[in-house]
Amino acid sequence: TPALCSQVLEERWDSAASLLSSFPSLSHHSSTHARFLLLQQKYLTLVNEQQQAAALSCLRTELAPLGVHEDRLHELAFCLVPGPAGPPPDSELAMSGTRVLSELATLIPPHMLPPEHRLEGLIEQAVGGHPNSPCHLLRSDTSAASLVVEGGAAKFAPTSEVPLSV
């Protein structure tokens, strides 16, 4: 949904996690793992901002009760440990909203959360699947998929007319 996408891209992890309940046909397994992914990003953002108390609270009260990825929870806990065993550099902690969105796309079915560039992929699939198609508008010698080829409109001629019934 556009609302979930915008919340993730704006890195509003709590709002995005609460929106998951608006997907009633999402399986419990997928919902739990998607919630874990979003709350993990919330936790890592808090660690990046050096808000240790809030990060620890998130780890204990939001992530752990989900009961998934126990090994990952232990790795995340090390982010709060000061010294050499502590967190990796900032660049290795939280993922960008776009990356989280692509990870979510693996958990949420495409009819609920269409993958990025889905339309382009479908057009390429349709064009590639019909190389001898009489419709010259769908074929192009360029690498980018396009429905309109310059000057191609003159080449298109429908082979039959469909009568309209009233």
Side-chain angles (χ1 to χ4, degrees), residues 1 3-4 7-8 12-24 26 31 34-36 38-39 42 62 104:
T1 65
L4 178 63
Q7 294 301 312
V8 169
R12 295 182 180 181
W13 309 120
D14 283 326
S15 299
S18 67
L19 282 174
L20 288 174
S21 60
S22 67
F23 295 109
L26 188 62
S31 176
R35 185 174 306 282
F36 183 90
L38 294 169
L39 294 174
K42 173 186 175 182
E62 297 179 66
L104 278 176

Side-chain angles (χ1 to χ4, degrees), residues 17-115:
S18 67
L19 282 174
L20 288 174
S21 60
S22 67
F23 295 109
S25 59
L26 188 62
S27 74
H28 176 71
H29 176 267
S30 294
S31 176
T32 303
H33 287 272
R35 185 174 306 282
F36 183 90
L37 178 65
L38 294 169
L39 294 174
Q40 171 185 256
Q41 293 312 304
K42 173 186 175 182
Y43 170 81
L44 291 171
T45 300
L46 292 169
V47 169
N48 269 345
E49 295 170 354
Q50 298 180 350
Q51 296 181 31
Q52 281 77 11
L56 183 59
S57 175
C58 177
L59 189 68
R60 287 182 176 169
T61 62
E62 297 179 66
L63 285 164
L66 293 175
V68 295
H69 304 298
E70 200 168 299
D71 291 338
R72 181 66 179 146
L73 282 174
H74 292 260
E75 292 172 12
L76 292 172
F78 275 112
C79 291
L80 291 174
V81 176
D90 287 349
S91 62
E92 296 178 22
L93 287 176
M95 294 187 280
S96 69
T98 329
R99 185 163 170 219
V100 172
L101 205 51
S102 67
E103 292 279 331
L104 278 176
T106 65
L107 297 168
I108 299 175
H111 68 280
M112 293 181 186
L113 182 68

Side-chain angles (χ1 to χ4, degrees), residues 71-159:
D71 291 338
R72 181 66 179 146
L73 282 174
H74 292 260
E75 292 172 12
L76 292 172
F78 275 112
C79 291
L80 291 174
V81 176
D90 287 349
S91 62
E92 296 178 22
L93 287 176
M95 294 187 280
S96 69
T98 329
R99 185 163 170 219
V100 172
L101 205 51
S102 67
E103 292 279 331
L104 278 176
T106 65
L107 297 168
I108 299 175
H111 68 280
M112 293 181 186
L113 182 68
E116 192 175 0
H117 305 296
R118 176 72 172 153
L119 179 59
E120 291 91 344
L122 289 173
I123 291 171
E124 288 173 9
Q125 183 181 19
V127 171
H130 304 289
N132 297 323
S133 171
C135 181
H136 299 287
L137 289 176
L138 293 177
R139 289 188 299 200
S140 172
D141 294 333
T142 63
S143 61
S146 174
L147 287 177
V148 179
V149 177
E150 188 175 326
K155 297 179 186 176
F156 179 75
T159 56

